[in-house]
Amino acid sequence: MDTRIGFGFDSHEFKPGVPLRIGGMTLDHPEGLAGHSDGDVLLHAITDALLGSVAAGDIGSFFPPGDPRWKDADSAIFLKLALEELEHAGYSIANIDTTLILTAPKISPIAGEMRSRVADLLGVEIDQVSIKAKTPEGLGLDHVAQCHAVVLVERTEEPEELKSMEAVIETQRQLEDVVDDLLASVHGVPKKRTITPVYDTEDIT
Ligand SMILES: [Zn+2]
């Protein structure tokens, strides 16, 4: 089986007065996560893991933070783009494992619902998505939410470039004709092909 691995990390600072968005859900909490988009630390880490699995860059290369279009954007948009990149490369998700690191709110009571939401966004089954959470013990980072994500992807089809190569090979004959014409015009090399008569000479009786 042809598999690849991807890893993603993200962090955002807590900020009063904004909704807390994690895993595509709005959580009941007095503070949200500061960010140019909705600050969804979990979806950002998964997006980077997906892009990383097919070496397609990272979230910042597709969605520069300074771009006003992504101001307060729903991070599900970023996830969808990463999925398209994955599909384009001919891969699909085998499974995803994540660890959120934050002091509050408690994630374990809602982890099931969050897994279900993320699985829906990714178009996979809930048992392909794991969401774990820890507190930032000893890190002195109680004002920050962090997330690590790892994804295993498996090849499901030929990547787009290979498909187009096949199309080229199918039309190899036409390609050879073009090359012959080019050689003939540039170097004065006579065409290799002999002109096929419109009738079969053997048939002339
Ligand atoms: Zn982020």
Side-chain angles (χ1 to χ4, degrees):
M1 193 196 298
D2 187 354
T3 56
R4 295 176 66 108
I5 195 167
F7 171 73
F9 169 79
D10 196 35
S11 68
H12 285 269
E13 195 165 12
F14 279 100
K15 174 185 166 183
V18 293
L20 178 60
R21 296 277 297 170
I22 298 181
M25 296 166 57
T26 302
L27 308 186
D28 190 18
H29 195 64
E31 293 182 309
L33 293 171
H36 186 64
S37 64
D38 64 4
D40 195 322
V41 70
L42 178 71
L43 295 192
H44 294 179
I46 293 175
T47 300
D48 262 5
L50 290 171
L51 291 173
S53 71
V54 290
D58 64 20
I59 197 168
S61 52
F62 286 95
F63 306 100
D67 192 326
R69 282 178 300 172
W70 315 123
K71 179 97 181 75
D72 301 324
D74 182 339
S75 295
I77 296 167
F78 309 152
L79 205 61
K80 292 284 175 206
L81 176 122
L83 278 179
E84 277 173 27
E85 288 296 312
L86 194 69
E87 201 175 314
H88 183 75
Y91 283 81
S92 64
I93 296 168
N95 74 301
I96 287 185
D97 189 18
T98 63
T99 300
L100 282 161
I101 305 159
L102 72 176
T103 307
K106 278 241 161 292
I107 298 298
S108 55
I110 52 166
E113 195 184 341
M114 198 176 277
R115 285 173 62 206
S116 170
R117 171 76 181 138
V118 172
D120 279 351
L121 289 172
L122 293 169
V124 299
E125 300 299 320
I126 190 168
D127 66 0
Q128 291 172 277
V129 178
S130 157
I131 297 174
K132 315 185 299 300
K134 299 179 78 71
T135 52
E137 294 297 325
L139 293 175
L141 289 172
D142 289 0
H143 58 297
V144 172
Q146 302 173 72
C147 186
H148 297 262
V150 64
V151 59
L152 187 75
V153 297
E154 54 195 3
R155 186 187 285 284
T156 43
E157 57 178 281
E158 292 302 312
E160 296 293 328
E161 293 124 62
L162 286 183
K163 274 190 244 167
S164 55
M165 277 304 291
E166 277 167 20
V168 167
I169 291 161
E170 274 168 31
T171 57
Q172 191 69 36
R173 230 189 145 74
Q174 286 155 279
L175 189 71
E176 280 166 13
D177 287 351
V178 171
V179 171
D180 281 352
D181 287 343
L182 275 172
L183 283 172
S185 65
V186 176
H187 301 293
V189 178
K191 292 186 181 187
K192 277 189 294 182
R193 286 168 294 137
T194 50
I195 310 288
T196 311
V198 289
Y199 52 87
D200 186 347
T201 48
E202 300 293 330
D203 272 348
I204 300 170
T205 52

